Amino acid sequence: MIRFDEKTKVFHLKNEKVSYVIGVLENGQLGHYYFGKPLTGALMPSYFRADQNRGLTAYLKEGDMAFSLNLERQVYPSFGRTDFRTPAIDITLSTGSRILDFKYHSHEIIAGKPKLNGLPSTWSDHASDAQTLIIKLADDVIQAELELKFTIFKNYGVLARSAEITNYSNEKMRINRMMSFSFDFMDNNYTWMQYSGDWVRERHLVESSLRRGTQSIGSLRGASGSEHNPFVILRRDDTREDSGEALAGTLVYSGNFLIEAQSNSDEQLRFQAGIHPDHFTWVLERGKSFSTPEGLIAYSGAGLGGLSRTLHDFYRNHLIAKRWQEKERPVLVNNWEATYFDFDEVKLLELAKEAKLLGIELFVLDDGWFGNRNDDTSSLGDWTANLNKLPGGVKRLSERINDMGLSFGIWIEPEMISKNSELYKAHPDWVIHDPLRSASHARNQYVLDYSRVEVVDHIYNQIIKMLDDSKVSYIKWDMNRNITEAYSAALTPEHQDELYHRYILGVYDLYERLTRRYPEIIFESCAAGGGRFDLGMLYYAPQAWTSDNTDAIERLKIQYGTSMGYPLSSMGSHVSASPNHQVLRKTSLKMRADVAYFGTFGYELDLTKLTELEKETIGAQIKFFKKHRSLIHHGDFYRLKSPFEGDRNQTAWMVVNKDKTEALVAWYQVLAQPNEKSSVLPLKGLCEDCEYTITGYENPVDASILMNFGLYLQPAFNGITKRNESVGDFQSRIWYMRKTIRD
């Protein structure tokens, strides 16, 4: 998949989905030539190079008007040597100079995909599934080596990139900016698509046309954040869901990030992603190295839907731990909205008993089981059982729930500490804070300094003591507070701006230790809902709590938006109480389940207060999900109607299994409309020469009719006739389809 032409100095990374072409420029730096549909034939640098015969600019060699880096498209640009755009790398030397000139030194092509030290990354367990190009660049003046890694995967239009710098000089260097990837494109004729939102309204889709200048999203919270997600799509202006070209850039990283597009006067586009350079520096000691997080860029010529399905399959096969790829995710009940902090062992066992009768497979104990925690003011950091609530500890509760035939899960928030805790009394200096200033507060809790190994060690030892003594198969790892007063008592002044990155490395270290020690435990990441929903977390935790907002109507936008970049199997989705606890909206059990099916699925309500009809309904829902969860979690996802476009009153999507023998179609309407007309819902992804039996249809229907005409959407109530029970506001319908064998 990777070839190098010694004569032309051109590297070509290619599979059936994509080509990436780069080469060594005459000054020794790397030039970006092409990224897009697969190319064939001879690839001469002259085909791709920019016209250098221009007006006022700066040229590298005196008297030579033929080479300016400001006019070149580059692979990993630096500043100060005729390129006036934003660099991928910026370093301050001991002299105060920031001029860099990294030139090609050597390269190697290896089978497979190497791991990144201390960082989550994509992987390949078969050498034939991926190839990696490692290019070594050297700046002899500053005595440093820059290693760029490029991995291409078989069958995916996805490229993984990262960078590592090593200091071979006798002086310290200070890294100010070091991006995971940089791409220079010929033009800026793209629409920029980003996720934006806030707590309980995460990952809404926002679009804008690129313009000259700089456009970016990022986070300075110490986490990837709910305001912006580390994921951007660049689509051509005529690209739609099923046609046209689109690119996606994202990071396998969970801390402060920046994704940026810069368009110059030639309307060329520089697209970069990496650790946010604000409030970041890294002191690179003599003989030491620094590695960036991994960045991914994906290409599709089959529209936004094709791009999403590429990413979904890629993450399921090359990011999420292999042991969770095929294992079924259990239907769970979480006690939080049923009890909040007000529970004891008796109440929990009553909930578990009802859960078992309904067909639920996993009981999850949420916040309030530890220390002296009866509200959110105490005990974070004290990970021992509250014996007033659990007289036999987590051990006895987990065993009793296991004896019922249910798996047991538990909530932790290991990165946080309460001032009212034994840990704080012993180690107040373990809190991230500036000792010269008062500390801000959020949710009555503070952030532990995970840049310190002794802090991570202490929390790890507490958690394994609890887990080794109990029967736990699921952990919900929460994180409800972002970093303020970013200062560590353990770091010297020159290293303080390393805190944010060192913190997230500490989080990864704890995840790594726990997932290695307990490979049978499934982790679900959570950050006040979706505040750290990113690929770094998915590497360790194969599913994430999509949002604290469990309202079915709000979840339409949240889950639809999330599907642009993340697979359904990664989205935690529950049926909660009505009226909903976040927006107080009343919706039917049917509507709530019809939305929650398209995720990991579970319940978050008081099962002991259900009517017999509600129990019967929930039992049927659980049977339905169990029957179809493999299709939902492993099938191809197609978006049919967007809640962000048109009248925004309807949303629809469907999942088709890989051999196109089964499909689930879901349609949702927010508000009822007067004298509503009949309409049709064209389907996608079916076997074109096949016919399908469909829920509610007497006879099989040919796929050509379903995809080119569609399913009829007859209104439930037209002002005169009521056609079914799904009437009024907040309607939903689901159709199951199965391919038939023609006579």
Short mmCIF file of all heavy atoms in Angstrom, two decimals, residues 112-124 132 149-153 158-164 178-181 230 249-254 257-259 273-275 290-297 314-315 318-319 501 505 508 534-536 539:
data_model
loop_
_atom_site.label_atom_id
_atom_site.label_comp_id
_atom_site.label_asym_id
_atom_site.label_seq_id
_atom_site.Cartn_x
_atom_site.Cartn_y
_atom_site.Cartn_z
N GLY A 112 2.03 -3.33 9.34
CA GLY A 112 1.25 -3.14 10.55
C GLY A 112 1.25 -1.72 11.05
O GLY A 112 1.52 -0.77 10.32
N LYS A 113 0.95 -1.57 12.33
CA LYS A 113 0.75 -0.26 12.95
C LYS A 113 1.41 -0.25 14.31
O LYS A 113 0.96 -0.93 15.24
CB LYS A 113 -0.76 0.01 13.07
CG LYS A 113 -1.15 1.22 13.90
CD LYS A 113 -0.79 2.52 13.20
CE LYS A 113 -1.47 3.71 13.82
NZ LYS A 113 -1.23 3.89 15.26
N PRO A 114 2.48 0.52 14.51
CA PRO A 114 3.11 0.59 15.84
C PRO A 114 2.25 1.37 16.83
O PRO A 114 1.51 2.29 16.45
CB PRO A 114 4.43 1.31 15.57
CG PRO A 114 4.18 2.12 14.33
CD PRO A 114 3.20 1.35 13.52
N LYS A 115 2.37 1.02 18.12
CA LYS A 115 1.66 1.75 19.17
C LYS A 115 2.37 3.06 19.46
O LYS A 115 3.55 3.22 19.17
CB LYS A 115 1.60 0.91 20.45
CG LYS A 115 0.69 -0.29 20.38
CD LYS A 115 0.47 -0.89 21.76
CE LYS A 115 -0.33 0.04 22.65
NZ LYS A 115 -0.67 -0.56 23.96
N LEU A 116 1.63 3.99 20.05
CA LEU A 116 2.24 5.22 20.55
C LEU A 116 2.49 5.07 22.04
O LEU A 116 1.62 4.62 22.78
CB LEU A 116 1.32 6.42 20.29
CG LEU A 116 1.07 6.79 18.83
CD1 LEU A 116 0.23 8.06 18.75
CD2 LEU A 116 2.36 6.98 18.06
N ASN A 117 3.65 5.46 22.48
CA ASN A 117 4.03 5.30 23.87
C ASN A 117 3.21 6.22 24.78
O ASN A 117 3.26 7.44 24.67
CB ASN A 117 5.52 5.60 24.05
CG ASN A 117 6.01 5.31 25.45
OD1 ASN A 117 5.50 4.42 26.13
ND2 ASN A 117 6.99 6.06 25.89
N GLY A 118 2.41 5.62 25.69
CA GLY A 118 1.64 6.38 26.67
C GLY A 118 0.40 7.04 26.15
O GLY A 118 -0.28 7.75 26.89
N LEU A 119 0.06 6.80 24.88
CA LEU A 119 -1.11 7.43 24.26
C LEU A 119 -1.99 6.38 23.58
O LEU A 119 -1.48 5.42 23.01
CB LEU A 119 -0.67 8.45 23.21
CG LEU A 119 -0.08 9.77 23.72
CD1 LEU A 119 0.71 10.45 22.61
CD2 LEU A 119 -1.19 10.69 24.22
N PRO A 120 -3.30 6.55 23.63
CA PRO A 120 -4.17 5.67 22.87
C PRO A 120 -3.97 5.90 21.37
O PRO A 120 -3.64 7.01 20.94
CB PRO A 120 -5.58 6.08 23.31
CG PRO A 120 -5.44 7.51 23.74
CD PRO A 120 -4.05 7.62 24.32
N SER A 121 -4.19 4.88 20.57
CA SER A 121 -4.03 5.03 19.13
C SER A 121 -4.75 3.90 18.43
O SER A 121 -5.11 2.89 19.04
CB SER A 121 -2.54 5.03 18.74
OG SER A 121 -1.93 3.80 19.08
N THR A 122 -4.95 4.05 17.14
CA THR A 122 -5.53 2.98 16.35
C THR A 122 -4.52 1.83 16.26
O THR A 122 -3.33 2.01 16.51
CB THR A 122 -5.89 3.48 14.94
OG1 THR A 122 -4.74 4.08 14.32
CG2 THR A 122 -7.00 4.52 15.02
N TRP A 123 -5.00 0.67 15.89
CA TRP A 123 -4.15 -0.51 15.91
C TRP A 123 -4.53 -1.45 14.78
O TRP A 123 -5.59 -1.34 14.16
CB TRP A 123 -4.27 -1.25 17.26
CG TRP A 123 -5.69 -1.55 17.67
CD1 TRP A 123 -6.50 -0.78 18.44
CD2 TRP A 123 -6.47 -2.69 17.28
NE1 TRP A 123 -7.73 -1.36 18.59
CE2 TRP A 123 -7.74 -2.54 17.88
CE3 TRP A 123 -6.22 -3.81 16.51
CZ2 TRP A 123 -8.76 -3.48 17.72
CZ3 TRP A 123 -7.23 -4.76 16.35
CH2 TRP A 123 -8.49 -4.58 16.96
N SER A 124 -3.65 -2.39 14.53
CA SER A 124 -3.91 -3.46 13.57
C SER A 124 -3.28 -4.72 14.11
O SER A 124 -2.08 -4.73 14.42
CB SER A 124 -3.33 -3.12 12.20
OG SER A 124 -3.48 -4.22 11.31
N THR A 132 2.84 1.20 7.53
CA THR A 132 3.23 2.47 8.13
C THR A 132 4.51 2.98 7.49
O THR A 132 5.49 2.24 7.35
CB THR A 132 3.43 2.31 9.65
OG1 THR A 132 2.21 1.88 10.25
CG2 THR A 132 3.86 3.63 10.28
N LYS A 149 4.98 9.82 11.26
CA LYS A 149 4.42 8.49 11.02
C LYS A 149 3.12 8.62 10.24
O LYS A 149 2.26 9.45 10.57
CB LYS A 149 4.16 7.76 12.34
CG LYS A 149 5.40 7.51 13.19
CD LYS A 149 5.03 6.73 14.45
CE LYS A 149 6.24 6.43 15.30
NZ LYS A 149 6.73 7.62 16.02
N PHE A 150 2.97 7.79 9.20
CA PHE A 150 1.78 7.77 8.35
C PHE A 150 1.35 6.31 8.22
O PHE A 150 2.12 5.48 7.74
CB PHE A 150 2.07 8.31 6.95
CG PHE A 150 2.80 9.62 6.90
CD1 PHE A 150 4.18 9.67 7.08
CD2 PHE A 150 2.14 10.80 6.63
CE1 PHE A 150 4.88 10.87 7.01
CE2 PHE A 150 2.82 12.01 6.55
CZ PHE A 150 4.19 12.04 6.75
N THR A 151 0.12 5.99 8.63
CA THR A 151 -0.38 4.62 8.49
C THR A 151 -1.60 4.61 7.60
O THR A 151 -2.53 5.42 7.79
CB THR A 151 -0.74 4.01 9.86
OG1 THR A 151 0.43 3.98 10.68
CG2 THR A 151 -1.24 2.58 9.69
N ILE A 152 -1.59 3.72 6.62
CA ILE A 152 -2.75 3.50 5.77
C ILE A 152 -3.27 2.09 6.03
O ILE A 152 -2.49 1.16 6.24
CB ILE A 152 -2.40 3.71 4.27
CG1 ILE A 152 -3.68 3.64 3.41
CG2 ILE A 152 -1.33 2.75 3.79
CD1 ILE A 152 -3.46 4.11 1.99
N PHE A 153 -4.59 1.94 6.07
CA PHE A 153 -5.23 0.69 6.42
C PHE A 153 -5.93 0.09 5.20
O PHE A 153 -6.53 0.80 4.41
CB PHE A 153 -6.26 0.91 7.54
CG PHE A 153 -5.67 1.42 8.82
CD1 PHE A 153 -5.40 2.78 8.99
CD2 PHE A 153 -5.38 0.55 9.85
CE1 PHE A 153 -4.86 3.25 10.18
CE2 PHE A 153 -4.84 1.02 11.05
CZ PHE A 153 -4.58 2.37 11.20
N VAL A 158 -8.85 5.99 5.32
CA VAL A 158 -8.44 6.64 6.56
C VAL A 158 -6.92 6.62 6.64
O VAL A 158 -6.29 5.60 6.37
CB VAL A 158 -9.03 5.93 7.80
CG1 VAL A 158 -8.57 6.61 9.08
CG2 VAL A 158 -10.55 5.92 7.73
N LEU A 159 -6.35 7.75 7.03
CA LEU A 159 -4.92 7.87 7.23
C LEU A 159 -4.67 8.30 8.68
O LEU A 159 -5.30 9.24 9.16
CB LEU A 159 -4.34 8.91 6.28
CG LEU A 159 -2.81 8.99 6.19
CD1 LEU A 159 -2.26 7.78 5.44
CD2 LEU A 159 -2.39 10.27 5.50
N ALA A 160 -3.77 7.58 9.37
CA ALA A 160 -3.38 7.94 10.74
C ALA A 160 -2.03 8.63 10.69
O ALA A 160 -1.11 8.18 10.01
CB ALA A 160 -3.31 6.70 11.61
N ARG A 161 -1.93 9.75 11.44
CA ARG A 161 -0.68 10.50 11.45
C ARG A 161 -0.30 10.90 12.87
O ARG A 161 -1.17 11.18 13.71
CB ARG A 161 -0.79 11.77 10.60
CG ARG A 161 -0.75 11.52 9.11
CD ARG A 161 -0.65 12.79 8.31
NE ARG A 161 0.51 13.61 8.70
CZ ARG A 161 0.82 14.76 8.11
NH1 ARG A 161 0.08 15.21 7.11
NH2 ARG A 161 1.88 15.45 8.51
N SER A 162 0.99 10.94 13.13
CA SER A 162 1.51 11.46 14.39
C SER A 162 2.94 11.92 14.15
O SER A 162 3.55 11.63 13.11
CB SER A 162 1.47 10.41 15.50
OG SER A 162 2.27 9.29 15.17
N ALA A 163 3.48 12.66 15.12
CA ALA A 163 4.83 13.20 15.00
C ALA A 163 5.56 13.04 16.32
O ALA A 163 4.95 13.11 17.40
CB ALA A 163 4.78 14.67 14.60
N GLU A 164 6.87 12.83 16.23
CA GLU A 164 7.70 12.71 17.43
C GLU A 164 9.01 13.47 17.20
O GLU A 164 9.64 13.32 16.15
CB GLU A 164 7.99 11.25 17.75
CG GLU A 164 8.86 11.05 18.97
CD GLU A 164 9.07 9.60 19.32
OE1 GLU A 164 8.06 8.85 19.34
OE2 GLU A 164 10.22 9.20 19.56
N MET A 178 2.83 21.81 18.44
CA MET A 178 3.21 20.60 17.71
C MET A 178 1.93 19.85 17.36
O MET A 178 1.33 19.18 18.18
CB MET A 178 4.15 19.74 18.52
CG MET A 178 4.85 18.67 17.70
SD MET A 178 6.24 17.95 18.58
CE MET A 178 6.61 16.57 17.48
N MET A 179 1.50 20.00 16.11
CA MET A 179 0.25 19.44 15.66
C MET A 179 0.39 17.95 15.34
O MET A 179 1.47 17.46 14.97
CB MET A 179 -0.22 20.18 14.40
CG MET A 179 -0.62 21.63 14.65
SD MET A 179 -2.16 21.83 15.59
CE MET A 179 -1.53 22.23 17.21
N SER A 180 -0.71 17.24 15.45
CA SER A 180 -0.73 15.83 15.09
C SER A 180 -0.70 15.64 13.59
O SER A 180 -0.09 14.69 13.08
CB SER A 180 -1.97 15.15 15.68
OG SER A 180 -1.95 15.19 17.09
N PHE A 181 -1.38 16.52 12.86
CA PHE A 181 -1.29 16.49 11.39
C PHE A 181 -1.46 17.87 10.83
O PHE A 181 -2.03 18.77 11.46
CB PHE A 181 -2.28 15.50 10.76
CG PHE A 181 -3.74 15.86 10.86
CD1 PHE A 181 -4.28 16.95 10.19
CD2 PHE A 181 -4.61 15.08 11.60
CE1 PHE A 181 -5.62 17.27 10.25
CE2 PHE A 181 -5.97 15.38 11.68
CZ PHE A 181 -6.47 16.48 11.00
N PRO A 230 -13.69 17.15 19.20
CA PRO A 230 -12.52 17.10 18.32
C PRO A 230 -12.79 16.34 17.03
O PRO A 230 -12.21 15.28 16.76
CB PRO A 230 -11.46 16.42 19.19
CG PRO A 230 -12.23 15.60 20.16
CD PRO A 230 -13.49 16.37 20.44
N GLY A 249 -11.54 15.23 9.86
CA GLY A 249 -10.32 15.30 10.66
C GLY A 249 -10.67 15.16 12.13
O GLY A 249 -11.60 15.82 12.61
N THR A 250 -9.93 14.31 12.84
CA THR A 250 -10.23 14.09 14.25
C THR A 250 -8.97 13.66 14.98
O THR A 250 -7.92 13.45 14.37
CB THR A 250 -11.35 13.03 14.40
OG1 THR A 250 -11.73 12.93 15.77
CG2 THR A 250 -10.90 11.68 13.88
N LEU A 251 -9.07 13.55 16.30
CA LEU A 251 -7.93 13.24 17.15
C LEU A 251 -8.24 12.08 18.08
O LEU A 251 -9.36 11.98 18.61
CB LEU A 251 -7.55 14.45 17.99
CG LEU A 251 -6.97 15.67 17.26
CD1 LEU A 251 -6.97 16.88 18.19
CD2 LEU A 251 -5.56 15.37 16.77
N VAL A 252 -7.26 11.23 18.30
CA VAL A 252 -7.37 10.20 19.32
C VAL A 252 -6.79 10.81 20.60
O VAL A 252 -5.69 10.49 21.04
CB VAL A 252 -6.61 8.92 18.90
CG1 VAL A 252 -6.88 7.78 19.89
CG2 VAL A 252 -7.00 8.50 17.49
N TYR A 253 -7.56 11.71 21.18
CA TYR A 253 -7.06 12.52 22.29
C TYR A 253 -8.24 13.07 23.08
O TYR A 253 -9.30 13.36 22.50
CB TYR A 253 -6.20 13.66 21.77
CG TYR A 253 -5.43 14.42 22.83
CD1 TYR A 253 -4.52 13.76 23.65
CD2 TYR A 253 -5.60 15.79 23.01
CE1 TYR A 253 -3.80 14.45 24.62
CE2 TYR A 253 -4.88 16.49 23.97
CZ TYR A 253 -3.98 15.82 24.78
OH TYR A 253 -3.27 16.50 25.74
N SER A 254 -8.04 13.24 24.39
CA SER A 254 -9.14 13.62 25.28
C SER A 254 -8.90 14.91 26.04
O SER A 254 -9.70 15.28 26.90
CB SER A 254 -9.38 12.49 26.29
OG SER A 254 -9.48 11.25 25.66
N PHE A 257 -7.62 20.65 22.82
CA PHE A 257 -7.33 20.40 21.42
C PHE A 257 -7.64 21.63 20.58
O PHE A 257 -8.37 22.54 21.00
CB PHE A 257 -8.15 19.22 20.89
CG PHE A 257 -9.60 19.56 20.64
CD1 PHE A 257 -10.03 19.99 19.39
CD2 PHE A 257 -10.54 19.49 21.66
CE1 PHE A 257 -11.36 20.33 19.16
CE2 PHE A 257 -11.87 19.83 21.45
CZ PHE A 257 -12.28 20.26 20.19
N LEU A 258 -7.09 21.63 19.39
CA LEU A 258 -7.37 22.66 18.38
C LEU A 258 -7.49 21.98 17.03
O LEU A 258 -6.64 21.17 16.65
CB LEU A 258 -6.24 23.69 18.34
CG LEU A 258 -6.36 24.77 17.26
CD1 LEU A 258 -7.50 25.74 17.58
CD2 LEU A 258 -5.04 25.54 17.11
N ILE A 259 -8.57 22.28 16.31
CA ILE A 259 -8.70 21.90 14.90
C ILE A 259 -8.92 23.19 14.13
O ILE A 259 -9.83 23.97 14.45
CB ILE A 259 -9.85 20.91 14.64
CG1 ILE A 259 -9.64 19.63 15.46
CG2 ILE A 259 -9.95 20.58 13.16
CD1 ILE A 259 -10.71 18.58 15.26
N ALA A 273 -4.66 19.75 13.10
CA ALA A 273 -5.29 19.33 14.36
C ALA A 273 -4.22 18.85 15.32
O ALA A 273 -3.22 18.25 14.91
CB ALA A 273 -6.30 18.21 14.10
N GLY A 274 -4.43 19.14 16.61
CA GLY A 274 -3.48 18.67 17.61
C GLY A 274 -3.79 19.25 18.98
O GLY A 274 -4.86 19.83 19.22
N ILE A 275 -2.85 19.11 19.89
CA ILE A 275 -2.96 19.70 21.22
C ILE A 275 -3.09 21.22 21.07
O ILE A 275 -2.36 21.84 20.30
CB ILE A 275 -1.72 19.37 22.07
CG1 ILE A 275 -1.61 17.86 22.31
CG2 ILE A 275 -1.77 20.10 23.42
CD1 ILE A 275 -0.31 17.45 22.97
N PHE A 290 9.36 13.84 22.47
CA PHE A 290 7.96 14.18 22.72
C PHE A 290 7.13 13.71 21.54
O PHE A 290 7.48 13.97 20.37
CB PHE A 290 7.78 15.68 22.90
CG PHE A 290 6.33 16.08 23.12
CD1 PHE A 290 5.77 15.99 24.38
CD2 PHE A 290 5.54 16.51 22.06
CE1 PHE A 290 4.43 16.33 24.59
CE2 PHE A 290 4.21 16.86 22.25
CZ PHE A 290 3.65 16.76 23.53
N SER A 291 6.02 13.03 21.83
CA SER A 291 5.12 12.52 20.79
C SER A 291 3.78 13.23 20.83
O SER A 291 3.23 13.46 21.91
CB SER A 291 4.89 11.01 20.97
OG SER A 291 6.09 10.29 20.83
N THR A 292 3.25 13.53 19.67
CA THR A 292 1.90 14.10 19.59
C THR A 292 0.87 12.98 19.72
O THR A 292 1.17 11.81 19.46
CB THR A 292 1.67 14.80 18.25
OG1 THR A 292 1.60 13.80 17.20
CG2 THR A 292 2.76 15.79 17.94
N PRO A 293 -0.34 13.32 20.12
CA PRO A 293 -1.43 12.35 19.97
C PRO A 293 -1.62 12.01 18.49
O PRO A 293 -1.15 12.72 17.60
CB PRO A 293 -2.65 13.11 20.51
CG PRO A 293 -2.10 14.24 21.30
CD PRO A 293 -0.80 14.60 20.67
N GLU A 294 -2.32 10.94 18.26
CA GLU A 294 -2.57 10.53 16.87
C GLU A 294 -3.72 11.33 16.28
O GLU A 294 -4.73 11.58 16.94
CB GLU A 294 -2.92 9.04 16.82
CG GLU A 294 -3.05 8.48 15.42
CD GLU A 294 -3.08 6.97 15.42
OE1 GLU A 294 -1.99 6.35 15.35
OE2 GLU A 294 -4.18 6.40 15.54
N GLY A 295 -3.55 11.75 15.04
CA GLY A 295 -4.62 12.40 14.30
C GLY A 295 -5.07 11.51 13.16
O GLY A 295 -4.27 10.75 12.60
N LEU A 296 -6.35 11.56 12.83
CA LEU A 296 -6.90 10.76 11.74
C LEU A 296 -7.55 11.69 10.73
O LEU A 296 -8.22 12.66 11.10
CB LEU A 296 -7.95 9.78 12.25
CG LEU A 296 -7.53 8.80 13.35
CD1 LEU A 296 -8.73 7.98 13.80
CD2 LEU A 296 -6.42 7.88 12.86
N ILE A 297 -7.34 11.39 9.45
CA ILE A 297 -8.07 12.09 8.41
C ILE A 297 -8.66 11.05 7.48
O ILE A 297 -8.00 10.07 7.12
CB ILE A 297 -7.19 13.11 7.66
CG1 ILE A 297 -8.06 13.98 6.76
CG2 ILE A 297 -6.06 12.44 6.91
CD1 ILE A 297 -7.40 15.27 6.32
N PHE A 314 -14.28 1.60 10.74
CA PHE A 314 -12.88 1.74 11.09
C PHE A 314 -12.68 1.72 12.60
O PHE A 314 -11.80 1.03 13.13
CB PHE A 314 -12.31 3.02 10.48
CG PHE A 314 -10.86 3.24 10.80
CD1 PHE A 314 -9.88 2.46 10.21
CD2 PHE A 314 -10.47 4.22 11.70
CE1 PHE A 314 -8.54 2.64 10.52
CE2 PHE A 314 -9.14 4.42 12.00
CZ PHE A 314 -8.17 3.63 11.41
N TYR A 315 -13.50 2.47 13.32
CA TYR A 315 -13.37 2.50 14.78
C TYR A 315 -13.71 1.15 15.40
O TYR A 315 -13.07 0.71 16.37
CB TYR A 315 -14.26 3.58 15.38
CG TYR A 315 -13.93 4.97 14.93
CD1 TYR A 315 -14.90 5.98 14.91
CD2 TYR A 315 -12.65 5.32 14.51
CE1 TYR A 315 -14.61 7.26 14.50
CE2 TYR A 315 -12.35 6.60 14.09
CZ TYR A 315 -13.33 7.57 14.08
OH TYR A 315 -13.04 8.83 13.66
N HIS A 318 -10.51 -1.00 14.31
CA HIS A 318 -9.12 -0.59 14.50
C HIS A 318 -8.91 0.41 15.64
O HIS A 318 -7.82 0.95 15.76
CB HIS A 318 -8.58 0.01 13.20
CG HIS A 318 -8.38 -0.99 12.11
ND1 HIS A 318 -7.37 -1.93 12.14
CD2 HIS A 318 -9.08 -1.23 10.97
CE1 HIS A 318 -7.44 -2.68 11.05
NE2 HIS A 318 -8.47 -2.29 10.34
N LEU A 319 -9.92 0.64 16.46
CA LEU A 319 -9.75 1.53 17.62
C LEU A 319 -10.27 0.89 18.90
O LEU A 319 -9.54 0.78 19.89
CB LEU A 319 -10.46 2.87 17.39
CG LEU A 319 -10.38 3.83 18.59
CD1 LEU A 319 -8.98 4.44 18.69
CD2 LEU A 319 -11.43 4.92 18.52
N HIS A 501 -1.50 18.52 29.56
CA HIS A 501 -1.17 17.30 28.83
C HIS A 501 -0.74 16.19 29.80
O HIS A 501 -1.14 15.03 29.62
CB HIS A 501 -0.07 17.58 27.81
CG HIS A 501 0.26 16.41 26.94
ND1 HIS A 501 -0.68 15.76 26.18
CD2 HIS A 501 1.44 15.75 26.73
CE1 HIS A 501 -0.11 14.76 25.52
NE2 HIS A 501 1.18 14.73 25.84
N LEU A 505 -2.41 12.38 30.30
CA LEU A 505 -1.55 11.20 30.27
C LEU A 505 -1.75 10.37 31.54
O LEU A 505 -1.72 9.13 31.50
CB LEU A 505 -0.09 11.60 30.12
CG LEU A 505 0.33 12.23 28.79
CD1 LEU A 505 1.81 12.60 28.82
CD2 LEU A 505 0.04 11.30 27.62
N TYR A 508 -4.97 8.44 31.10
CA TYR A 508 -4.74 7.29 30.24
C TYR A 508 -3.98 6.18 30.98
O TYR A 508 -4.24 4.99 30.79
CB TYR A 508 -3.95 7.70 29.00
CG TYR A 508 -4.70 8.56 28.02
CD1 TYR A 508 -4.03 9.48 27.21
CD2 TYR A 508 -6.08 8.46 27.87
CE1 TYR A 508 -4.70 10.27 26.29
CE2 TYR A 508 -6.77 9.25 26.96
CZ TYR A 508 -6.07 10.16 26.17
OH TYR A 508 -6.74 10.95 25.26
N ASP A 534 -14.85 11.18 22.91
CA ASP A 534 -13.80 11.30 21.90
C ASP A 534 -13.12 9.95 21.69
O ASP A 534 -13.37 8.99 22.42
CB ASP A 534 -12.78 12.37 22.30
CG ASP A 534 -12.13 12.10 23.65
OD1 ASP A 534 -11.44 11.08 23.77
OD2 ASP A 534 -12.32 12.90 24.59
N LEU A 535 -12.23 9.89 20.70
CA LEU A 535 -11.61 8.63 20.33
C LEU A 535 -10.60 8.16 21.36
O LEU A 535 -10.36 6.96 21.50
CB LEU A 535 -10.93 8.76 18.97
CG LEU A 535 -11.85 9.17 17.80
CD1 LEU A 535 -11.07 9.19 16.50
CD2 LEU A 535 -13.05 8.23 17.69
N GLY A 536 -9.98 9.09 22.09
CA GLY A 536 -9.07 8.69 23.16
C GLY A 536 -9.79 7.87 24.21
O GLY A 536 -9.28 6.86 24.70
N TYR A 539 -10.92 4.29 22.92
CA TYR A 539 -9.85 3.30 22.89
C TYR A 539 -9.90 2.43 24.15
O TYR A 539 -9.66 1.23 24.10
CB TYR A 539 -8.50 4.01 22.79
CG TYR A 539 -7.30 3.10 22.87
CD1 TYR A 539 -6.83 2.44 21.74
CD2 TYR A 539 -6.61 2.92 24.07
CE1 TYR A 539 -5.72 1.61 21.81
CE2 TYR A 539 -5.50 2.09 24.15
CZ TYR A 539 -5.05 1.44 23.02
OH TYR A 539 -3.95 0.62 23.08
#
